[in-house]
Amino acid sequence: MTRVPRSHPRYTSLVTREALVAAHRGGIAVLEGLIAHGRGEAWDYLLGEETSAPALVAERAAAAFLLTAKRPVLSVNGNVAALAASHVVRLATAVPARIEVNLFHRTEDRVKRIAAVLRQAGGVDILGSGPDARIPGLESRRARCHREGIYGADVVLVPLEDGDRARALIRMGKAVISVDLNPLSRTSLAATVPVVDELTRALPSIERFVRTLKGRPTEAARIVRDYDRAGNLAANYAFLRWRLAELVRGARGGGKTRRRKG
Ligand code: PTJ
């Protein structure tokens, strides 16, 4: 593993990249996951590497959907385990929700390794091994799931997925919360609550809202009822347009645009 100097202007980014490479070597993340991370990071650059106001609105809605669910489930893949295992466990505990390992590039060995990472982070009763159901209309191995997990859930959080599953879950009548930095992805377009934010910012933010809304069921139900999915997606695009306009202004004004992390 390369030692990243703390003084490097992209220190956090490089450390995260090293963590993903290590997770790949440890059989947690797939090579395709490293590509996925690069795509996410490119979007994060464009979006300014901080949680936008529209993302915050979606994160509050995500918390309300999770709290008002009868059977909420958090789905975990290789990248999510590598980057945010403890965030997932904390959110699952706060709701409370089940955690299920559900992989696109599924092997039983990876499912076991990822479940072990989640257990190390404090997770209990992790679903994944020995699936007993299939998501209808999904040909990938990600269709394999658990009745007491994703199959039977009414609200499913699906961070960093590649778009085949969100639609299938919605066809099953579930509410789907996505976390995906690409506001144009098939997942963001399909999800009931698309959260356009970086995973390790989004999960703690959703958890904070869960803690605020817990014990306030009327308020949580109101947020679910009033949530305007189309309006929120449009606000994400408007935010992106504002960001690009800022960049244009910055370039014309000699590079004075606010850009925080290197
Ligand atoms: O572990 P597996 O086998 O289930 O495979 C997982 C991957 C991630 C390889 C698989 O789901 C995949 O191929 O995903 P995609 O199609 O590359 O989509 C991932 C999406 O997540 C892309 O739109 C990225 O922009 C986005 N993304 C990547 N990293 C982050 C992210 N969004 C938020 N936070 C991130 N850190």
Side-chain angles (χ1 to χ4, degrees), residues 32-33 36-37 39-40 77-78 83 103-105 110 142 160-162 180-182 197-199:
E32 292 83 346
H37 179 73
R39 292 167 60 199
N77 65 19
L83 296 177
L103 303 179
F104 186 73
H105 305 279
R110 273 188 78 221
R142 195 143 56 185
L160 279 61
E161 74 149 27
D162 63 1
D180 188 335
L181 277 158
N182 180 355
D197 197 5
E198 201 281 324
L199 179 73

mmCIF file with all atom_site columns, all heavy atoms in Angstrom, residues 32-33 36-37 39-40 77-78 83 103-105 110 142 160-162 180-182 197-199, ligand 1:
data_model
loop_
_atom_site.group_PDB
_atom_site.id
_atom_site.type_symbol
_atom_site.label_atom_id
_atom_site.label_alt_id
_atom_site.label_comp_id
_atom_site.label_asym_id
_atom_site.label_entity_id
_atom_site.label_seq_id
_atom_site.pdbx_PDB_ins_code
_atom_site.Cartn_x
_atom_site.Cartn_y
_atom_site.Cartn_z
_atom_site.occupancy
_atom_site.B_iso_or_equiv
_atom_site.pdbx_formal_charge
_atom_site.auth_seq_id
_atom_site.auth_comp_id
_atom_site.auth_asym_id
_atom_site.auth_atom_id
_atom_site.pdbx_PDB_model_num
ATOM   1   N N   . GLU A 1 32  ? -14.442 -3.799  -10.939 1.00 0.00 ? 32  GLU A N   1
ATOM   2   C CA  . GLU A 1 32  ? -15.471 -2.904  -11.482 1.00 0.00 ? 32  GLU A CA  1
ATOM   3   C C   . GLU A 1 32  ? -15.844 -1.825  -10.458 1.00 0.00 ? 32  GLU A C   1
ATOM   4   O O   . GLU A 1 32  ? -16.244 -0.722  -10.814 1.00 0.00 ? 32  GLU A O   1
ATOM   5   C CB  . GLU A 1 32  ? -16.735 -3.699  -11.863 1.00 0.00 ? 32  GLU A CB  1
ATOM   6   C CG  . GLU A 1 32  ? -16.559 -4.638  -13.053 1.00 0.00 ? 32  GLU A CG  1
ATOM   7   C CD  . GLU A 1 32  ? -15.946 -5.987  -12.679 1.00 0.00 ? 32  GLU A CD  1
ATOM   8   O OE1 . GLU A 1 32  ? -15.413 -6.125  -11.554 1.00 0.00 ? 32  GLU A OE1 1
ATOM   9   O OE2 . GLU A 1 32  ? -16.001 -6.900  -13.516 1.00 0.00 ? 32  GLU A OE2 1
ATOM   10  N N   . GLY A 1 33  ? -15.714 -2.176  -9.181  1.00 0.00 ? 33  GLY A N   1
ATOM   11  C CA  . GLY A 1 33  ? -16.011 -1.224  -8.116  1.00 0.00 ? 33  GLY A CA  1
ATOM   12  C C   . GLY A 1 33  ? -15.019 -0.063  -8.106  1.00 0.00 ? 33  GLY A C   1
ATOM   13  O O   . GLY A 1 33  ? -15.373 1.062   -7.733  1.00 0.00 ? 33  GLY A O   1
ATOM   14  N N   . ALA A 1 36  ? -16.235 2.197   -10.693 1.00 0.00 ? 36  ALA A N   1
ATOM   15  C CA  . ALA A 1 36  ? -17.426 2.896   -10.176 1.00 0.00 ? 36  ALA A CA  1
ATOM   16  C C   . ALA A 1 36  ? -17.001 4.050   -9.267  1.00 0.00 ? 36  ALA A C   1
ATOM   17  O O   . ALA A 1 36  ? -17.574 5.149   -9.312  1.00 0.00 ? 36  ALA A O   1
ATOM   18  C CB  . ALA A 1 36  ? -18.312 1.919   -9.401  1.00 0.00 ? 36  ALA A CB  1
ATOM   19  N N   . HIS A 1 37  ? -15.981 3.816   -8.455  1.00 0.00 ? 37  HIS A N   1
ATOM   20  C CA  . HIS A 1 37  ? -15.527 4.861   -7.536  1.00 0.00 ? 37  HIS A CA  1
ATOM   21  C C   . HIS A 1 37  ? -15.010 6.078   -8.316  1.00 0.00 ? 37  HIS A C   1
ATOM   22  O O   . HIS A 1 37  ? -15.309 7.224   -7.969  1.00 0.00 ? 37  HIS A O   1
ATOM   23  C CB  . HIS A 1 37  ? -14.428 4.315   -6.626  1.00 0.00 ? 37  HIS A CB  1
ATOM   24  C CG  . HIS A 1 37  ? -13.909 5.337   -5.673  1.00 0.00 ? 37  HIS A CG  1
ATOM   25  N ND1 . HIS A 1 37  ? -14.627 5.760   -4.585  1.00 0.00 ? 37  HIS A ND1 1
ATOM   26  C CD2 . HIS A 1 37  ? -12.756 6.078   -5.668  1.00 0.00 ? 37  HIS A CD2 1
ATOM   27  C CE1 . HIS A 1 37  ? -13.955 6.692   -3.942  1.00 0.00 ? 37  HIS A CE1 1
ATOM   28  N NE2 . HIS A 1 37  ? -12.812 6.904   -4.582  1.00 0.00 ? 37  HIS A NE2 1
ATOM   29  N N   . ARG A 1 39  ? -15.901 7.043   -11.224 1.00 0.00 ? 39  ARG A N   1
ATOM   30  C CA  . ARG A 1 39  ? -17.047 7.780   -11.792 1.00 0.00 ? 39  ARG A CA  1
ATOM   31  C C   . ARG A 1 39  ? -17.690 8.650   -10.725 1.00 0.00 ? 39  ARG A C   1
ATOM   32  O O   . ARG A 1 39  ? -17.997 9.818   -10.956 1.00 0.00 ? 39  ARG A O   1
ATOM   33  C CB  . ARG A 1 39  ? -18.084 6.788   -12.346 1.00 0.00 ? 39  ARG A CB  1
ATOM   34  C CG  . ARG A 1 39  ? -17.583 6.032   -13.556 1.00 0.00 ? 39  ARG A CG  1
ATOM   35  C CD  . ARG A 1 39  ? -18.488 4.865   -13.857 1.00 0.00 ? 39  ARG A CD  1
ATOM   36  N NE  . ARG A 1 39  ? -19.850 5.283   -14.132 1.00 0.00 ? 39  ARG A NE  1
ATOM   37  C CZ  . ARG A 1 39  ? -20.896 4.470   -14.075 1.00 0.00 ? 39  ARG A CZ  1
ATOM   38  N NH1 . ARG A 1 39  ? -20.731 3.216   -13.734 1.00 0.00 ? 39  ARG A NH1 1
ATOM   39  N NH2 . ARG A 1 39  ? -22.093 4.904   -14.364 1.00 0.00 ? 39  ARG A NH2 1
ATOM   40  N N   . GLY A 1 40  ? -17.832 8.084   -9.555  1.00 0.00 ? 40  GLY A N   1
ATOM   41  C CA  . GLY A 1 40  ? -18.430 8.849   -8.459  1.00 0.00 ? 40  GLY A CA  1
ATOM   42  C C   . GLY A 1 40  ? -17.583 10.066  -8.114  1.00 0.00 ? 40  GLY A C   1
ATOM   43  O O   . GLY A 1 40  ? -18.104 11.169  -7.930  1.00 0.00 ? 40  GLY A O   1
ATOM   44  N N   . ASN A 1 77  ? -23.074 -3.562  -0.874  1.00 0.00 ? 77  ASN A N   1
ATOM   45  C CA  . ASN A 1 77  ? -22.226 -4.241  -1.857  1.00 0.00 ? 77  ASN A CA  1
ATOM   46  C C   . ASN A 1 77  ? -20.755 -4.056  -1.467  1.00 0.00 ? 77  ASN A C   1
ATOM   47  O O   . ASN A 1 77  ? -20.449 -3.539  -0.379  1.00 0.00 ? 77  ASN A O   1
ATOM   48  C CB  . ASN A 1 77  ? -22.533 -3.749  -3.280  1.00 0.00 ? 77  ASN A CB  1
ATOM   49  C CG  . ASN A 1 77  ? -22.185 -2.275  -3.480  1.00 0.00 ? 77  ASN A CG  1
ATOM   50  O OD1 . ASN A 1 77  ? -21.419 -1.690  -2.719  1.00 0.00 ? 77  ASN A OD1 1
ATOM   51  N ND2 . ASN A 1 77  ? -22.760 -1.669  -4.501  1.00 0.00 ? 77  ASN A ND2 1
ATOM   52  N N   . GLY A 1 78  ? -19.853 -4.455  -2.367  1.00 0.00 ? 78  GLY A N   1
ATOM   53  C CA  . GLY A 1 78  ? -18.426 -4.438  -2.026  1.00 0.00 ? 78  GLY A CA  1
ATOM   54  C C   . GLY A 1 78  ? -17.910 -3.035  -1.731  1.00 0.00 ? 78  GLY A C   1
ATOM   55  O O   . GLY A 1 78  ? -17.207 -2.812  -0.737  1.00 0.00 ? 78  GLY A O   1
ATOM   56  N N   . LEU A 1 83  ? -16.047 1.250   2.022   1.00 0.00 ? 83  LEU A N   1
ATOM   57  C CA  . LEU A 1 83  ? -15.995 2.683   2.342   1.00 0.00 ? 83  LEU A CA  1
ATOM   58  C C   . LEU A 1 83  ? -16.775 3.054   3.599   1.00 0.00 ? 83  LEU A C   1
ATOM   59  O O   . LEU A 1 83  ? -16.461 4.056   4.243   1.00 0.00 ? 83  LEU A O   1
ATOM   60  C CB  . LEU A 1 83  ? -16.579 3.512   1.175   1.00 0.00 ? 83  LEU A CB  1
ATOM   61  C CG  . LEU A 1 83  ? -15.841 3.455   -0.154  1.00 0.00 ? 83  LEU A CG  1
ATOM   62  C CD1 . LEU A 1 83  ? -16.594 4.272   -1.198  1.00 0.00 ? 83  LEU A CD1 1
ATOM   63  C CD2 . LEU A 1 83  ? -14.419 3.988   -0.004  1.00 0.00 ? 83  LEU A CD2 1
ATOM   64  N N   . LEU A 1 103 ? -25.067 -8.589  -3.992  1.00 0.00 ? 103 LEU A N   1
ATOM   65  C CA  . LEU A 1 103 ? -23.966 -8.244  -4.893  1.00 0.00 ? 103 LEU A CA  1
ATOM   66  C C   . LEU A 1 103 ? -24.319 -8.448  -6.361  1.00 0.00 ? 103 LEU A C   1
ATOM   67  O O   . LEU A 1 103 ? -25.003 -9.414  -6.717  1.00 0.00 ? 103 LEU A O   1
ATOM   68  C CB  . LEU A 1 103 ? -22.747 -9.117  -4.567  1.00 0.00 ? 103 LEU A CB  1
ATOM   69  C CG  . LEU A 1 103 ? -22.231 -9.037  -3.135  1.00 0.00 ? 103 LEU A CG  1
ATOM   70  C CD1 . LEU A 1 103 ? -21.039 -9.960  -2.956  1.00 0.00 ? 103 LEU A CD1 1
ATOM   71  C CD2 . LEU A 1 103 ? -21.867 -7.612  -2.772  1.00 0.00 ? 103 LEU A CD2 1
ATOM   72  N N   . PHE A 1 104 ? -23.806 -7.550  -7.179  1.00 0.00 ? 104 PHE A N   1
ATOM   73  C CA  . PHE A 1 104 ? -23.946 -7.719  -8.631  1.00 0.00 ? 104 PHE A CA  1
ATOM   74  C C   . PHE A 1 104 ? -22.983 -8.814  -9.102  1.00 0.00 ? 104 PHE A C   1
ATOM   75  O O   . PHE A 1 104 ? -23.370 -9.723  -9.807  1.00 0.00 ? 104 PHE A O   1
ATOM   76  C CB  . PHE A 1 104 ? -23.653 -6.383  -9.333  1.00 0.00 ? 104 PHE A CB  1
ATOM   77  C CG  . PHE A 1 104 ? -23.908 -6.426  -10.809 1.00 0.00 ? 104 PHE A CG  1
ATOM   78  C CD1 . PHE A 1 104 ? -25.204 -6.447  -11.293 1.00 0.00 ? 104 PHE A CD1 1
ATOM   79  C CD2 . PHE A 1 104 ? -22.857 -6.449  -11.713 1.00 0.00 ? 104 PHE A CD2 1
ATOM   80  C CE1 . PHE A 1 104 ? -25.460 -6.500  -12.662 1.00 0.00 ? 104 PHE A CE1 1
ATOM   81  C CE2 . PHE A 1 104 ? -23.100 -6.496  -13.071 1.00 0.00 ? 104 PHE A CE2 1
ATOM   82  C CZ  . PHE A 1 104 ? -24.402 -6.522  -13.556 1.00 0.00 ? 104 PHE A CZ  1
ATOM   83  N N   . HIS A 1 105 ? -21.722 -8.700  -8.666  1.00 0.00 ? 105 HIS A N   1
ATOM   84  C CA  . HIS A 1 105 ? -20.719 -9.715  -9.029  1.00 0.00 ? 105 HIS A CA  1
ATOM   85  C C   . HIS A 1 105 ? -20.679 -10.718 -7.873  1.00 0.00 ? 105 HIS A C   1
ATOM   86  O O   . HIS A 1 105 ? -19.700 -10.811 -7.140  1.00 0.00 ? 105 HIS A O   1
ATOM   87  C CB  . HIS A 1 105 ? -19.353 -9.055  -9.231  1.00 0.00 ? 105 HIS A CB  1
ATOM   88  C CG  . HIS A 1 105 ? -19.383 -7.934  -10.227 1.00 0.00 ? 105 HIS A CG  1
ATOM   89  N ND1 . HIS A 1 105 ? -19.342 -8.129  -11.583 1.00 0.00 ? 105 HIS A ND1 1
ATOM   90  C CD2 . HIS A 1 105 ? -19.507 -6.596  -10.058 1.00 0.00 ? 105 HIS A CD2 1
ATOM   91  C CE1 . HIS A 1 105 ? -19.419 -6.961  -12.210 1.00 0.00 ? 105 HIS A CE1 1
ATOM   92  N NE2 . HIS A 1 105 ? -19.518 -6.018  -11.311 1.00 0.00 ? 105 HIS A NE2 1
ATOM   93  N N   . ARG A 1 110 ? -17.319 -13.794 -1.497  1.00 0.00 ? 110 ARG A N   1
ATOM   94  C CA  . ARG A 1 110 ? -17.402 -12.339 -1.265  1.00 0.00 ? 110 ARG A CA  1
ATOM   95  C C   . ARG A 1 110 ? -18.515 -12.002 -0.276  1.00 0.00 ? 110 ARG A C   1
ATOM   96  O O   . ARG A 1 110 ? -18.356 -11.140 0.571   1.00 0.00 ? 110 ARG A O   1
ATOM   97  C CB  . ARG A 1 110 ? -17.645 -11.602 -2.587  1.00 0.00 ? 110 ARG A CB  1
ATOM   98  C CG  . ARG A 1 110 ? -16.369 -11.264 -3.334  1.00 0.00 ? 110 ARG A CG  1
ATOM   99  C CD  . ARG A 1 110 ? -16.684 -10.380 -4.525  1.00 0.00 ? 110 ARG A CD  1
ATOM   100 N NE  . ARG A 1 110 ? -16.915 -9.003  -4.158  1.00 0.00 ? 110 ARG A NE  1
ATOM   101 C CZ  . ARG A 1 110 ? -17.857 -8.226  -4.677  1.00 0.00 ? 110 ARG A CZ  1
ATOM   102 N NH1 . ARG A 1 110 ? -18.683 -8.690  -5.593  1.00 0.00 ? 110 ARG A NH1 1
ATOM   103 N NH2 . ARG A 1 110 ? -17.976 -6.986  -4.295  1.00 0.00 ? 110 ARG A NH2 1
ATOM   104 N N   . ARG A 1 142 ? -27.727 -10.428 -8.715  1.00 0.00 ? 142 ARG A N   1
ATOM   105 C CA  . ARG A 1 142 ? -28.241 -9.573  -7.652  1.00 0.00 ? 142 ARG A CA  1
ATOM   106 C C   . ARG A 1 142 ? -29.706 -9.886  -7.337  1.00 0.00 ? 142 ARG A C   1
ATOM   107 O O   . ARG A 1 142 ? -30.233 -9.439  -6.328  1.00 0.00 ? 142 ARG A O   1
ATOM   108 C CB  . ARG A 1 142 ? -28.084 -8.114  -8.066  1.00 0.00 ? 142 ARG A CB  1
ATOM   109 C CG  . ARG A 1 142 ? -28.237 -7.186  -6.951  1.00 0.00 ? 142 ARG A CG  1
ATOM   110 C CD  . ARG A 1 142 ? -27.335 -6.006  -6.979  1.00 0.00 ? 142 ARG A CD  1
ATOM   111 N NE  . ARG A 1 142 ? -27.440 -5.235  -8.188  1.00 0.00 ? 142 ARG A NE  1
ATOM   112 C CZ  . ARG A 1 142 ? -26.657 -4.201  -8.439  1.00 0.00 ? 142 ARG A CZ  1
ATOM   113 N NH1 . ARG A 1 142 ? -25.733 -3.858  -7.589  1.00 0.00 ? 142 ARG A NH1 1
ATOM   114 N NH2 . ARG A 1 142 ? -26.776 -3.535  -9.545  1.00 0.00 ? 142 ARG A NH2 1
ATOM   115 N N   . LEU A 1 160 ? -24.948 3.007   -4.347  1.00 0.00 ? 160 LEU A N   1
ATOM   116 C CA  . LEU A 1 160 ? -23.978 2.656   -5.406  1.00 0.00 ? 160 LEU A CA  1
ATOM   117 C C   . LEU A 1 160 ? -24.354 1.416   -6.197  1.00 0.00 ? 160 LEU A C   1
ATOM   118 O O   . LEU A 1 160 ? -23.652 0.412   -6.186  1.00 0.00 ? 160 LEU A O   1
ATOM   119 C CB  . LEU A 1 160 ? -22.590 2.400   -4.780  1.00 0.00 ? 160 LEU A CB  1
ATOM   120 C CG  . LEU A 1 160 ? -21.717 3.587   -4.453  1.00 0.00 ? 160 LEU A CG  1
ATOM   121 C CD1 . LEU A 1 160 ? -22.343 4.516   -3.447  1.00 0.00 ? 160 LEU A CD1 1
ATOM   122 C CD2 . LEU A 1 160 ? -20.380 3.107   -3.904  1.00 0.00 ? 160 LEU A CD2 1
ATOM   123 N N   . GLU A 1 161 ? -25.462 1.469   -6.867  1.00 0.00 ? 161 GLU A N   1
ATOM   124 C CA  . GLU A 1 161 ? -25.792 0.298   -7.678  1.00 0.00 ? 161 GLU A CA  1
ATOM   125 C C   . GLU A 1 161 ? -25.782 0.688   -9.151  1.00 0.00 ? 161 GLU A C   1
ATOM   126 O O   . GLU A 1 161 ? -25.640 1.854   -9.489  1.00 0.00 ? 161 GLU A O   1
ATOM   127 C CB  . GLU A 1 161 ? -27.136 -0.284  -7.271  1.00 0.00 ? 161 GLU A CB  1
ATOM   128 C CG  . GLU A 1 161 ? -28.330 0.533   -7.710  1.00 0.00 ? 161 GLU A CG  1
ATOM   129 C CD  . GLU A 1 161 ? -29.525 -0.350  -7.971  1.00 0.00 ? 161 GLU A CD  1
ATOM   130 O OE1 . GLU A 1 161 ? -29.628 -1.421  -7.376  1.00 0.00 ? 161 GLU A OE1 1
ATOM   131 O OE2 . GLU A 1 161 ? -30.346 0.059   -8.797  1.00 0.00 ? 161 GLU A OE2 1
ATOM   132 N N   . ASP A 1 162 ? -25.911 -0.294  -10.025 1.00 0.00 ? 162 ASP A N   1
ATOM   133 C CA  . ASP A 1 162 ? -25.761 0.042   -11.434 1.00 0.00 ? 162 ASP A CA  1
ATOM   134 C C   . ASP A 1 162 ? -27.077 0.056   -12.197 1.00 0.00 ? 162 ASP A C   1
ATOM   135 O O   . ASP A 1 162 ? -27.094 -0.042  -13.411 1.00 0.00 ? 162 ASP A O   1
ATOM   136 C CB  . ASP A 1 162 ? -24.739 -0.876  -12.107 1.00 0.00 ? 162 ASP A CB  1
ATOM   137 C CG  . ASP A 1 162 ? -25.194 -2.309  -12.078 1.00 0.00 ? 162 ASP A CG  1
ATOM   138 O OD1 . ASP A 1 162 ? -26.282 -2.556  -11.553 1.00 0.00 ? 162 ASP A OD1 1
ATOM   139 O OD2 . ASP A 1 162 ? -24.455 -3.165  -12.590 1.00 0.00 ? 162 ASP A OD2 1
ATOM   140 N N   . ASP A 1 180 ? -26.312 7.938   -4.882  1.00 0.00 ? 180 ASP A N   1
ATOM   141 C CA  . ASP A 1 180 ? -25.543 7.885   -6.129  1.00 0.00 ? 180 ASP A CA  1
ATOM   142 C C   . ASP A 1 180 ? -25.202 9.312   -6.520  1.00 0.00 ? 180 ASP A C   1
ATOM   143 O O   . ASP A 1 180 ? -26.100 10.152  -6.664  1.00 0.00 ? 180 ASP A O   1
ATOM   144 C CB  . ASP A 1 180 ? -26.398 7.212   -7.216  1.00 0.00 ? 180 ASP A CB  1
ATOM   145 C CG  . ASP A 1 180 ? -25.615 6.948   -8.501  1.00 0.00 ? 180 ASP A CG  1
ATOM   146 O OD1 . ASP A 1 180 ? -24.623 7.652   -8.762  1.00 0.00 ? 180 ASP A OD1 1
ATOM   147 O OD2 . ASP A 1 180 ? -26.014 6.040   -9.241  1.00 0.00 ? 180 ASP A OD2 1
ATOM   148 N N   . LEU A 1 181 ? -23.910 9.576   -6.686  1.00 0.00 ? 181 LEU A N   1
ATOM   149 C CA  . LEU A 1 181 ? -23.481 10.939  -7.027  1.00 0.00 ? 181 LEU A CA  1
ATOM   150 C C   . LEU A 1 181 ? -23.889 11.345  -8.438  1.00 0.00 ? 181 LEU A C   1
ATOM   151 O O   . LEU A 1 181 ? -23.871 12.532  -8.771  1.00 0.00 ? 181 LEU A O   1
ATOM   152 C CB  . LEU A 1 181 ? -21.962 11.045  -6.873  1.00 0.00 ? 181 LEU A CB  1
ATOM   153 C CG  . LEU A 1 181 ? -21.485 11.312  -5.453  1.00 0.00 ? 181 LEU A CG  1
ATOM   154 C CD1 . LEU A 1 181 ? -20.031 10.884  -5.272  1.00 0.00 ? 181 LEU A CD1 1
ATOM   155 C CD2 . LEU A 1 181 ? -21.649 12.777  -5.093  1.00 0.00 ? 181 LEU A CD2 1
ATOM   156 N N   . ASN A 1 182 ? -24.225 10.375  -9.268  1.00 0.00 ? 182 ASN A N   1
ATOM   157 C CA  . ASN A 1 182 ? -24.619 10.696  -10.641 1.00 0.00 ? 182 ASN A CA  1
ATOM   158 C C   . ASN A 1 182 ? -26.131 10.969  -10.690 1.00 0.00 ? 182 ASN A C   1
ATOM   159 O O   . ASN A 1 182 ? -26.928 10.044  -10.606 1.00 0.00 ? 182 ASN A O   1
ATOM   160 C CB  . ASN A 1 182 ? -24.248 9.525   -11.550 1.00 0.00 ? 182 ASN A CB  1
ATOM   161 C CG  . ASN A 1 182 ? -24.632 9.776   -12.997 1.00 0.00 ? 182 ASN A CG  1
ATOM   162 O OD1 . ASN A 1 182 ? -25.260 10.799  -13.305 1.00 0.00 ? 182 ASN A OD1 1
ATOM   163 N ND2 . ASN A 1 182 ? -24.277 8.852   -13.877 1.00 0.00 ? 182 ASN A ND2 1
ATOM   164 N N   . ASP A 1 197 ? -25.472 12.352  -3.379  1.00 0.00 ? 197 ASP A N   1
ATOM   165 C CA  . ASP A 1 197 ? -24.435 12.787  -2.442  1.00 0.00 ? 197 ASP A CA  1
ATOM   166 C C   . ASP A 1 197 ? -23.423 11.654  -2.305  1.00 0.00 ? 197 ASP A C   1
ATOM   167 O O   . ASP A 1 197 ? -23.716 10.493  -2.642  1.00 0.00 ? 197 ASP A O   1
ATOM   168 C CB  . ASP A 1 197 ? -25.068 13.105  -1.067  1.00 0.00 ? 197 ASP A CB  1
ATOM   169 C CG  . ASP A 1 197 ? -24.147 13.942  -0.170  1.00 0.00 ? 197 ASP A CG  1
ATOM   170 O OD1 . ASP A 1 197 ? -23.066 14.361  -0.630  1.00 0.00 ? 197 ASP A OD1 1
ATOM   171 O OD2 . ASP A 1 197 ? -24.530 14.179  0.986   1.00 0.00 ? 197 ASP A OD2 1
ATOM   172 N N   . GLU A 1 198 ? -22.264 11.995  -1.763  1.00 0.00 ? 198 GLU A N   1
ATOM   173 C CA  . GLU A 1 198 ? -21.226 10.988  -1.574  1.00 0.00 ? 198 GLU A CA  1
ATOM   174 C C   . GLU A 1 198 ? -21.622 10.087  -0.396  1.00 0.00 ? 198 GLU A C   1
ATOM   175 O O   . GLU A 1 198 ? -22.118 10.553  0.631   1.00 0.00 ? 198 GLU A O   1
ATOM   176 C CB  . GLU A 1 198 ? -19.881 11.697  -1.317  1.00 0.00 ? 198 GLU A CB  1
ATOM   177 C CG  . GLU A 1 198 ? -18.667 10.833  -1.602  1.00 0.00 ? 198 GLU A CG  1
ATOM   178 C CD  . GLU A 1 198 ? -18.361 9.856   -0.490  1.00 0.00 ? 198 GLU A CD  1
ATOM   179 O OE1 . GLU A 1 198 ? -18.556 10.223  0.698   1.00 0.00 ? 198 GLU A OE1 1
ATOM   180 O OE2 . GLU A 1 198 ? -17.954 8.720   -0.782  1.00 0.00 ? 198 GLU A OE2 1
ATOM   181 N N   . LEU A 1 199 ? -21.356 8.794   -0.576  1.00 0.00 ? 199 LEU A N   1
ATOM   182 C CA  . LEU A 1 199 ? -21.808 7.791   0.393   1.00 0.00 ? 199 LEU A CA  1
ATOM   183 C C   . LEU A 1 199 ? -21.434 8.109   1.842   1.00 0.00 ? 199 LEU A C   1
ATOM   184 O O   . LEU A 1 199 ? -22.289 8.037   2.736   1.00 0.00 ? 199 LEU A O   1
ATOM   185 C CB  . LEU A 1 199 ? -21.205 6.436   -0.011  1.00 0.00 ? 199 LEU A CB  1
ATOM   186 C CG  . LEU A 1 199 ? -21.529 5.251   0.870   1.00 0.00 ? 199 LEU A CG  1
ATOM   187 C CD1 . LEU A 1 199 ? -22.970 4.824   0.677   1.00 0.00 ? 199 LEU A CD1 1
ATOM   188 C CD2 . LEU A 1 199 ? -20.579 4.092   0.582   1.00 0.00 ? 199 LEU A CD2 1
HETATM 189 O O1  . PTJ B 2 .   ? -19.925 -5.246  -5.146  1.00 0.00 ? 1   PTJ B O1  1
HETATM 190 P P1  . PTJ B 2 .   ? -20.785 -5.560  -6.338  1.00 0.00 ? 1   PTJ B P1  1
HETATM 191 O O2  . PTJ B 2 .   ? -20.416 -6.880  -6.980  1.00 0.00 ? 1   PTJ B O2  1
HETATM 192 O O3  . PTJ B 2 .   ? -22.264 -5.550  -6.020  1.00 0.00 ? 1   PTJ B O3  1
HETATM 193 O O4  . PTJ B 2 .   ? -20.560 -4.413  -7.445  1.00 0.00 ? 1   PTJ B O4  1
HETATM 194 C C1  . PTJ B 2 .   ? -20.763 -3.078  -7.084  1.00 0.00 ? 1   PTJ B C1  1
HETATM 195 C C2  . PTJ B 2 .   ? -20.550 -2.092  -8.245  1.00 0.00 ? 1   PTJ B C2  1
HETATM 196 C C3  . PTJ B 2 .   ? -20.351 -0.703  -7.620  1.00 0.00 ? 1   PTJ B C3  1
HETATM 197 C C4  . PTJ B 2 .   ? -19.300 -2.492  -9.019  1.00 0.00 ? 1   PTJ B C4  1
HETATM 198 C C5  . PTJ B 2 .   ? -21.769 -2.127  -9.174  1.00 0.00 ? 1   PTJ B C5  1
HETATM 199 O O5  . PTJ B 2 .   ? -22.935 -1.865  -8.461  1.00 0.00 ? 1   PTJ B O5  1
HETATM 200 C C6  . PTJ B 2 .   ? -21.589 -1.165  -10.349 1.00 0.00 ? 1   PTJ B C6  1
HETATM 201 O O6  . PTJ B 2 .   ? -21.076 -1.528  -11.389 1.00 0.00 ? 1   PTJ B O6  1
HETATM 202 O O7  . PTJ B 2 .   ? -22.017 0.096   -10.130 1.00 0.00 ? 1   PTJ B O7  1
HETATM 203 P P2  . PTJ B 2 .   ? -21.953 1.271   -11.233 1.00 0.00 ? 1   PTJ B P2  1
HETATM 204 O O8  . PTJ B 2 .   ? -22.783 0.951   -12.429 1.00 0.00 ? 1   PTJ B O8  1
HETATM 205 O O9  . PTJ B 2 .   ? -20.540 1.653   -11.533 1.00 0.00 ? 1   PTJ B O9  1
HETATM 206 O O10 . PTJ B 2 .   ? -22.684 2.425   -10.465 1.00 0.00 ? 1   PTJ B O10 1
HETATM 207 C C7  . PTJ B 2 .   ? -22.204 2.952   -9.282  1.00 0.00 ? 1   PTJ B C7  1
HETATM 208 C C8  . PTJ B 2 .   ? -22.721 4.383   -9.148  1.00 0.00 ? 1   PTJ B C8  1
HETATM 209 O O11 . PTJ B 2 .   ? -22.302 4.844   -7.877  1.00 0.00 ? 1   PTJ B O11 1
HETATM 210 C C9  . PTJ B 2 .   ? -22.172 5.358   -10.189 1.00 0.00 ? 1   PTJ B C9  1
HETATM 211 O O12 . PTJ B 2 .   ? -23.223 6.147   -10.709 1.00 0.00 ? 1   PTJ B O12 1
HETATM 212 C C10 . PTJ B 2 .   ? -21.183 6.243   -9.407  1.00 0.00 ? 1   PTJ B C10 1
HETATM 213 O O13 . PTJ B 2 .   ? -21.213 7.585   -9.863  1.00 0.00 ? 1   PTJ B O13 1
HETATM 214 C C11 . PTJ B 2 .   ? -21.735 6.153   -8.008  1.00 0.00 ? 1   PTJ B C11 1
HETATM 215 N N1  . PTJ B 2 .   ? -20.711 6.250   -6.957  1.00 0.00 ? 1   PTJ B N1  1
HETATM 216 C C12 . PTJ B 2 .   ? -19.480 5.696   -6.918  1.00 0.00 ? 1   PTJ B C12 1
HETATM 217 N N2  . PTJ B 2 .   ? -18.845 5.972   -5.770  1.00 0.00 ? 1   PTJ B N2  1
HETATM 218 C C13 . PTJ B 2 .   ? -19.718 6.703   -5.023  1.00 0.00 ? 1   PTJ B C13 1
HETATM 219 C C14 . PTJ B 2 .   ? -20.921 6.876   -5.775  1.00 0.00 ? 1   PTJ B C14 1
HETATM 220 N N3  . PTJ B 2 .   ? -21.967 7.559   -5.293  1.00 0.00 ? 1   PTJ B N3  1
HETATM 221 C C15 . PTJ B 2 .   ? -21.884 8.050   -4.027  1.00 0.00 ? 1   PTJ B C15 1
HETATM 222 N N4  . PTJ B 2 .   ? -20.769 7.914   -3.259  1.00 0.00 ? 1   PTJ B N4  1
HETATM 223 C C16 . PTJ B 2 .   ? -19.684 7.244   -3.702  1.00 0.00 ? 1   PTJ B C16 1
HETATM 224 N N5  . PTJ B 2 .   ? -18.596 7.095   -2.907  1.00 0.00 ? 1   PTJ B N5  1
#
